Structure formats: C-alpha cells, structure tokens
Amino acid sequence: MSDAIVNKVAESGLITLDLEKYLPKEEMVLFDLKEYLFMGLILKEKDFRAALQQIDWPQYKDKYVAVACTADAVIPVWAYMLVAAYLQPFARDVVFGTVDEMKDQILLFNLKQLDMADYEDKRVVVKGCGEVAISERAYLEITKKLRPVAKSIMYGEPCSTVPVFKKK
C-alpha cells in the first residue's frame, strides 16, 4: 500500500491568475496642487506659474504621477493641464486622481493587454486575498475578459474556491 502524498491541486489543471502581477512596479507619487494654493484655498495664476517654474521636474523621471488637489478648493481645469505639460516630458505617465486611483487605472490597462488565448477552455482561479488590495473594478474586468474564453472561472485559492462561471 502506497502512502505517497498526492497534490490534488497541482493535478487539477487549474490555472491561477494573480492580479497583483499586473500592478505597476515603478514608483508612483502624488503631485498635490494643495501645496500651491494661497491660504490653502485659492489658486493665483501668476504665483502658481512662478512656483511651477521653480520645481525640479526631472525628479519625476520614469515615475507614475497622480495629480490631484487634497484641499477642498476649486481648481481651474487649466491648472491640471499646466502641471501635465510640465510633467509629461519626464514622467512615465500622468493621471488625474489619487495614487490608488492611478494604480487601479494602470492595472486595468495591463489586464486589457492580456492574451486570452492562454486561458482558452481552461479552468481559471482568480486569486484573492493577496498582499495588495485589488479593486472590485479589476475583478469585474478580468471576469468580463475571461468569460468568453475560459471553461470555468473561480475566485479564491486553488484549495478553496468560489465558483463564478462555468461553460455549459
């Protein structure tokens, strides 16, 4: 009688899709317009333009930069445009919003680039509970991409999954 331990998960033919792999690895920073407001409330065009000219823009080289204002102030649209014009030659990408919103946008972009042929008629487990929080939006998007091609879609870990979809 053989007492060999058998890894049933490895033999199951499940493919684990870890969304964390598609998060950006490059540094992400916030450019906060709050720092350039008069009395923390008002953007004065002349002062704002002068302040932007003093910034060491190469410090943003190859970084993802989120541009937002964390103060409760009305910011004219041209101010965001002006910051983007300064950042664009240096930054890897410039996105409106918080760092978390930018991370989510980049993740969604990366997921859209996935080759779905790798998942054709496969049983796919979309990994949950990782090191980094992944937005519900990303899980929804990957499900939309997998559903037309995968044999089945599950959520969780290979040893404990929640069924999401199964082709009939």
Side-chain angles (χ1 to χ4, degrees):
M1 181 159 142
S2 174
D3 289 335
I5 297 174
V6 177
N7 185 341
K8 292 183 180 181
V9 172
E11 292 179 351
S12 69
L14 293 175
I15 295 177
T16 300
L17 178 57
D18 185 355
L19 300 185
E20 283 184 32
K21 287 182 174 180
Y22 301 97
L23 287 168
K25 308 290 185 258
E26 296 81 7
E27 186 176 358
M28 295 181 280
V29 297
L30 176 67
F31 186 94
D32 192 350
L33 274 66
K34 172 184 165 182
E35 308 301 320
Y36 305 96
L37 300 179
F38 176 71
M39 298 179 65
L41 296 170
I42 302 165
L43 190 137
K44 290 181 160 183
E45 181 178 357
K46 185 177 178 182
D47 295 345
F48 182 64
R49 286 181 180 274
L52 293 183
Q53 289 176 347
Q54 300 304 312
I55 293 174
D56 175 31
W57 295 103
Q59 71 179 308
Y60 295 102
K61 184 165 177 49
D62 297 327
K63 295 178 183 176
Y64 285 105
V65 183
V67 179
C69 183
T70 59
D72 189 18
V74 177
I75 306 296
V77 173
W78 59 261
Y80 293 104
M81 295 171 68
L82 191 57
V83 170
Y86 277 103
L87 282 168
Q88 196 273 328
F90 302 102
R92 182 177 187 96
D93 198 4
V94 180
V95 174
F96 173 77
T98 66
V99 170
D100 284 341
E101 291 167 337
M102 177 177 53
K103 179 177 72 171
D104 197 42
Q105 284 184 30
I106 295 166
L107 173 59
L108 292 174
F109 176 81
N110 290 341
L111 292 177
K112 287 182 190 214
Q113 308 310 309
L114 276 177
D115 182 5
M116 288 292 101
D118 296 340
Y119 303 98
E120 190 89 35
D121 293 321
K122 302 284 196 252
R123 297 172 63 219
V124 182
V125 177
V126 180
K127 186 176 183 218
C129 305
E131 299 283 321
V132 180
I134 302 291
S135 73
E136 291 85 351
R137 181 179 298 141
Y139 286 104
L140 185 135
E141 288 300 321
I142 198 61
T143 303
K144 286 175 21 185
K145 281 194 66 92
L146 286 169
R147 190 182 183 285
V149 297
K151 182 177 184 178
S152 65
I153 305 168
M154 294 160 272
Y155 169 81
E157 299 294 328
C159 60
S160 176
T161 62
V162 176
V164 174
F165 168 77
K166 186 173 186 175
K167 270 189 185 171
K168 296 184 183 199

